[in-house]
């Protein structure tokens, strides 16, 4: 895992702009703490920060191979989990390798197969290849969008980076956010390709783009397709188990310490158990980590997506699989530290209002990184198998994104917007247009009607909209501390297979995630098998709530620029509530106000609201 950036210009000599590429590359230092590299040529400049995971002595980047017609160079972030098979095939085709890295496999794969290479990859990746033979740049992002990739077209080429901050470090780009950008920030329904910052684009999952003297052309090399599912229940469950065992085995490959992120839910527990079984073959134990908060049992409030406390289930799994387990305890004073909020906002480049959940995720990853470099996460299983409560109640029939139906907590913070700004943004209209656009993309199958048709739509919305938000959050927070988080449930083979499994089969036992439960129950404690879906926990520590209220009061007293976007009476009302009685909506308002102020202080964006 790494951070990449670069610049292609057909009218400048980039060898005289090395200092600018150095500045762009330096913004990625957290993503790649182990090494830095830069390549400058007249037309292309590539920058790389490395987190060494495979082939620690080799694998330095930017990497170049010579061909009879000229050099080809790459900057690459991520992992190709099938690199050993591809390397064997390339050797049969006459390629000689000088490293053991998957980067060289991808680079030589491009030299062999050109732009059809991505179709052969299994993994999480974002990479750019500069082909001096044709003076073209190939930009590629993995199928599910696990690894981020942003680009900005200039008058004579393109700038790109793993994160917007790399692009914003170039003086050609102004940090401007317009109305559509703010609509994205306040909608929690990510528009594929939208990058919030004016003029910037996100390379869509499963897409590649080719940049040449005639401009930039982007197209899909993979998308979800509707197909007939012919397997019966027993075969389906067995195939999912077979896939999971293969996926976990592939994603455990690393030359550095590995672990799992364990919440005690079905998803992370299944991965931890399968990883433990696989590692036991080599005489190893699995490491596991979980987040917890002092006094959580006394302060906990059950929410729709978090109805139970994690800790008892975490400990049951750890004992069951004999993992080397550690709870990461985070108290309110640490979570509320403004420096932690700055780190979290700086990692995401945006003020998305998740507050303590972002802060705690950042601190969890920071603590995990002290002992491991690679972690397996259960992220995305709910989107793949249908785990959220709204998959199973009336919200799935709502004429909007189901996770926003019924007054979601994140939606509550929109009441913070000033009347003028809310009128300009018209977030509900924006969401409605986005929702209808997304529905038009859903692949269809002849004869599929009623509930099966609707649940295909609901699954598609989660796999192409909601999951992108969560994957981006997981990548940014983990890479901000140099931790590589892998997401086995995003393997495209598993995603495609389950996407086409009929809904009645996905819920054959009358519950959420029936297939996953059946496929893994033999390796899990019964308490975890029976546990209802419970999302990433928030802190209910009164000390945290008291601290953020005090910070928001100071914000009001300072007349901060962020207040120009806010309806201050709403913020004052939230601050008037005692910590023990503050509602989820009021808490969301306070968190959003602090996030906005922190973002403005860090990025000093120009807000184009006319």
């Amino acid at each position: 895992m790494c951070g990449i950036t670069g610049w292609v210009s057909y009218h400048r000599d980039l060898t005289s702009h090395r200092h600018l590429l150095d500045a762009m590359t330096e913004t990625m230092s957290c993503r790649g703490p182990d090494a830095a590299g830069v390549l400058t040529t007249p037309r292309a400049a590539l920058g790389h920060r490395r987190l060494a995971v495979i082939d620690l002595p080799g694998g330095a980047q930017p990497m170049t191979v010579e061909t009879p017609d000229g050099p080809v160079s790459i900057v690459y972030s991520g992992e190709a989990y099938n690199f050993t098979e591809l390397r064997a095939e390339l050797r049969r085709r006459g390629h000689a390798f000088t490293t053991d890295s998957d980067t060289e496999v991808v680079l030589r794969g491009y030299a062999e197969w050109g732009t059809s290479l991505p179709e052969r990859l299994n993994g999480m990746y974002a990479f750019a290849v500069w082909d001096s033979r044709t003076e073209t740049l190939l930009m590629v992002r993995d199928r599910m969008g696990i690894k981020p990739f942003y680009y900005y077209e200039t008058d004579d080429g393109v700038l790109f980076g793993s994160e917007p901050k790399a692009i914003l470090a170039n003086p050609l780009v102004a940090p401007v956010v317009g109305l559509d950008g703010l609509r994205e920030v306040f909608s929690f329904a990510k528009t594929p390709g939208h990058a919030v910052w004016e003029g910037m684009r996100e390379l869509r999952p499963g897409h590649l783009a080719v940049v040449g003297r005639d401009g930039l052309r982007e197209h899909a090399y993979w998308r979800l397709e509707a197909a007939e599912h012919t397997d019966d229940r027993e075969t389906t469950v067995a195939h999912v188990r077979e896939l999971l065992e293969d996926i976990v085995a592939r994603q455990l490959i690393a030359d550095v310490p590995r672990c799992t992120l364990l919440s005690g839910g079905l998803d992370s527990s299944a991965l931890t158990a399968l990883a433990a079984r696989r590692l036991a073959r080599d005489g190893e134990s699995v490491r596991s980590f979980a987040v917890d908060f002092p006094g959580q049992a006394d302060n906990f409030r059950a929410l729709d997506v978090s109805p139970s406390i994690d800790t008892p289930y975490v400990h049951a799994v750890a004992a069951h699989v004999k993992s080397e387990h550690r709870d990461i305890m985070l108290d309110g004073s640490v979570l509320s530290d403004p420096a932690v909020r700055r780190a979290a906002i700086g990692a995401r480049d945006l003020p998305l209002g998740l507050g303590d959940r972002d802060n705690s995720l950042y601190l969890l990853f920071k603590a995990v990184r002290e002992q491991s470099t690679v972690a397996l996460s259960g992220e995305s299983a709910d989107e793949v198998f249908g785990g959220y409560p709204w998959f199973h109640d009336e919200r799935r029939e709502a004429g909007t994104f189901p996770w926003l139906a019924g007054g979601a907590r994140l939606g509550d913070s929109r009441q913070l917007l000033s009347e003028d700004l809310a009128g300009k943004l018209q977030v509900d209209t924006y969401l409605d247009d986005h929702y209808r656009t997304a529905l038009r993309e859903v692949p269809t199958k002849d004869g599929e009607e009623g509930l099966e048709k609707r649940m295909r739509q609901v699954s598609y919305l989660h796999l192409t909209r909601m999951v992108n938000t969560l994957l981006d959050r997981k990548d940014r927070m983990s890479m901000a501390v140099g931790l590589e988080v892998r997401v086995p449930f995003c393997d495209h083979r598993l995603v495609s297979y389950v996407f086409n499994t009929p809904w009645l089969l996905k819920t054959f036992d009358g519950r959420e995630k029936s297939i996953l439960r059946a496929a893994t129950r033999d390796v899990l404690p019964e308490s975890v098998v029976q546990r209802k879906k419970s999302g990433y926990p928030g802190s209910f520590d009164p000390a945290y709530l008291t601290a953020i209220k005090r910070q928001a009061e100071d914000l009001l007293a300072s007349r901060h620029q962020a207040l120009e976007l806010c309806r201050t009476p709403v913020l004052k009302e939230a601050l008037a509530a005692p910590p023990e009685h503050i509602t989820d909506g009021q808490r969301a308002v306070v968190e959003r106000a602090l996030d906005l102020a922190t973002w403005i202080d860090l990025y000093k964006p120009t807000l184009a609201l006319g």
Side-chain angles (χ1 to χ4, degrees), residues 252-567:
L252 282 172
I253 296 174
D255 296 331
V256 291
R258 301 146 297 178
C259 68
T260 65
L261 304 173
L262 179 59
S263 70
L266 178 62
D267 319 331
S268 66
S269 300
L271 292 182
T272 300
L274 292 174
R277 286 164 63 97
R278 180 66 183 84
L279 291 172
R281 298 182 191 177
D282 300 322
E284 296 184 61
S285 298
V286 67
R287 292 179 177 181
S288 58
F289 294 87
V291 68
D292 200 1
F293 309 96
Q296 185 77 334
D298 296 328
N299 300 320
F300 181 76
R301 301 179 198 171
L303 300 174
D304 183 29
V305 293
S306 300
S308 60
I309 295 174
D310 289 345
T311 305
Y313 301 97
V314 166
H315 292 171
V317 174
H320 189 76
V321 305
K322 298 180 174 60
S323 71
E324 298 175 15
H325 182 73
R326 179 186 168 195
D327 289 329
I328 307 299
M329 195 69 67
L330 303 174
D331 66 41
S333 63
V334 176
L335 279 177
S336 61
D337 186 342
V340 174
R341 188 178 298 271
R342 284 194 296 273
I345 296 294
R348 299 194 73 178
D349 292 315
L350 293 173
L352 297 177
L354 288 179
D356 70 297
R357 284 171 168 81
D358 274 355
N359 297 355
S360 66
L361 192 63
Y362 171 83
L363 291 170
L364 168 65
F365 288 156
K366 187 176 181 181
V368 170
R369 182 62 175 88
E370 294 174 0
Q371 298 185 45
S372 292
T373 309
V374 170
L376 269 60
S377 165
E379 192 78 85
S380 307
D382 290 303
E383 289 79 10
V384 173
F385 289 98
Y388 293 112
W390 47 79
F391 272 87
H392 308 274
D393 61 27
E394 69 281 356
R395 285 173 288 183
R396 69 189 184 190
E397 301 293 345
T400 186
F401 298 100
W403 58 91
L404 296 181
R409 174 181 183 270
L410 283 164
D412 289 339
S413 68
R414 273 191 270 152
Q415 65 185 293
L416 176 66
L417 293 173
S418 70
E419 292 186 22
D420 179 62
L421 183 56
K424 290 178 178 179
L425 294 182
Q426 294 290 310
V427 175
D428 287 336
T429 301
Y430 181 76
L431 280 169
D432 186 59
D433 291 344
H434 178 22
Y435 172 71
R436 296 181 188 283
T437 298
L439 284 186
R440 288 193 291 270
E441 297 175 5
V442 180
T444 59
K445 189 161 69 72
D446 291 343
E448 195 169 62
E449 298 294 340
L451 180 62
E452 289 292 344
K453 178 180 179 180
R454 178 55 183 166
M455 295 316 294
R456 183 182 292 279
Q457 293 175 339
V458 171
S459 295
Y460 184 88
L461 294 174
H462 281 79
L463 291 169
T464 61
R465 267 61 179 182
M466 186 175 187
V467 79
N468 296 148
T469 299
L470 300 178
L471 289 173
D472 185 73
R473 172 176 178 255
K474 186 66 61 78
D475 173 87
R476 300 296 198 88
M477 292 300 177
S478 60
M479 293 307 294
V481 296
L483 176 70
E484 175 174 302
V485 173
R486 299 177 178 179
V487 279
F489 289 112
C490 279
D491 185 292
H492 70 279
R493 299 169 298 164
L494 180 68
V495 172
S496 294
Y497 184 76
V498 179
F499 177 67
N500 283 297
T501 302
W503 181 248
L504 292 180
L505 181 50
K506 289 180 184 175
T507 55
F508 68 79
D509 64 359
R511 293 192 57 186
E512 77 284 356
K513 295 185 282 196
S514 305
I515 295 171
L516 179 60
R517 181 175 296 102
T520 58
R521 71 181 309 150
D522 65 302
V523 297
L524 295 173
E526 188 62 22
S527 62
V528 172
V529 172
Q530 298 303 329
R531 188 187 185 193
K532 288 186 63 176
K533 158 69 184 175
S534 195
Y536 183 81
S539 171
F540 298 91
D541 186 345
Y544 175 78
L545 299 175
T546 299
I548 64 170
K549 284 186 61 179
R550 187 182 307 114
Q551 292 165 17
E553 288 165 354
D554 292 343
L555 188 70
L556 279 171
S558 71
R559 299 184 180 181
H560 194 281
Q561 181 188 348
L563 298 177
E564 297 174 11
L565 308 177
C566 300
R567 192 176 301 178

Side-chain angles (χ1 to χ4, degrees), residues 93-387:
R93 291 172 176 264
H95 291 264
F97 287 82
T98 60
T99 74
D100 294 325
S101 69
D102 59 337
T103 302
E104 186 178 3
V105 172
V106 174
L107 179 54
R108 292 189 181 277
Y110 170 79
E112 179 68 32
W113 296 302
T115 57
S116 66
L117 164 68
E119 300 166 22
R120 299 172 179 265
L121 297 176
N122 175 327
M124 56 177 191
Y125 46 82
F127 63 88
V129 178
W130 173 249
D131 192 333
S132 69
R133 301 168 300 182
T134 56
E135 291 197 330
T136 56
L137 181 77
L138 172 68
M139 304 186 293
V140 180
R141 192 176 184 200
D142 66 69
R143 292 171 179 83
M144 292 297 292
I146 305 167
K147 303 315 298 174
F149 197 118
Y150 295 85
Y151 67 85
Y152 182 100
E153 289 188 79
T154 66
D155 58 355
D156 71 332
V158 71
L159 299 162
F160 68 86
S162 293
E163 299 179 7
K165 59 175 65 71
I167 297 171
L168 293 170
N170 191 298
L172 292 178
V173 183
V176 178
V177 175
L179 292 175
D180 266 358
L182 287 180
R183 291 178 181 119
E184 282 290 304
V185 167
F186 283 93
S187 66
F188 201 68
K190 187 172 175 57
T191 305
H194 205 299
V196 176
W197 302 93
E198 287 285 296
M200 198 180 297
R201 295 285 296 168
E202 181 184 52
L203 187 60
R204 293 183 60 161
H207 279 59
L208 62 81
V210 177
V211 181
R213 290 182 178 275
D214 56 349
L216 184 151
R217 302 179 305 281
E218 179 178 339
H219 70 269
Y221 66 87
W222 182 86
R223 56 170 56 92
L224 285 168
E225 301 285 358
E228 194 70 34
H229 185 88
T230 57
D231 293 342
D232 61 15
R233 181 197 300 179
E234 183 179 353
T235 306
T236 298
V237 170
H239 186 56
V240 167
R241 174 60 172 266
E242 179 184 4
L243 281 172
L244 285 173
E245 289 186 343
D246 178 70
I247 293 164
V248 169
R250 290 177 182 275
Q251 298 199 19
L252 282 172
I253 296 174
D255 296 331
V256 291
R258 301 146 297 178
C259 68
T260 65
L261 304 173
L262 179 59
S263 70
L266 178 62
D267 319 331
S268 66
S269 300
L271 292 182
T272 300
L274 292 174
R277 286 164 63 97
R278 180 66 183 84
L279 291 172
R281 298 182 191 177
D282 300 322
E284 296 184 61
S285 298
V286 67
R287 292 179 177 181
S288 58
F289 294 87
V291 68
D292 200 1
F293 309 96
Q296 185 77 334
D298 296 328
N299 300 320
F300 181 76
R301 301 179 198 171
L303 300 174
D304 183 29
V305 293
S306 300
S308 60
I309 295 174
D310 289 345
T311 305
Y313 301 97
V314 166
H315 292 171
V317 174
H320 189 76
V321 305
K322 298 180 174 60
S323 71
E324 298 175 15
H325 182 73
R326 179 186 168 195
D327 289 329
I328 307 299
M329 195 69 67
L330 303 174
D331 66 41
S333 63
V334 176
L335 279 177
S336 61
D337 186 342
V340 174
R341 188 178 298 271
R342 284 194 296 273
I345 296 294
R348 299 194 73 178
D349 292 315
L350 293 173
L352 297 177
L354 288 179
D356 70 297
R357 284 171 168 81
D358 274 355
N359 297 355
S360 66
L361 192 63
Y362 171 83
L363 291 170
L364 168 65
F365 288 156
K366 187 176 181 181
V368 170
R369 182 62 175 88
E370 294 174 0
Q371 298 185 45
S372 292
T373 309
V374 170
L376 269 60
S377 165
E379 192 78 85
S380 307
D382 290 303
E383 289 79 10
V384 173
F385 289 98

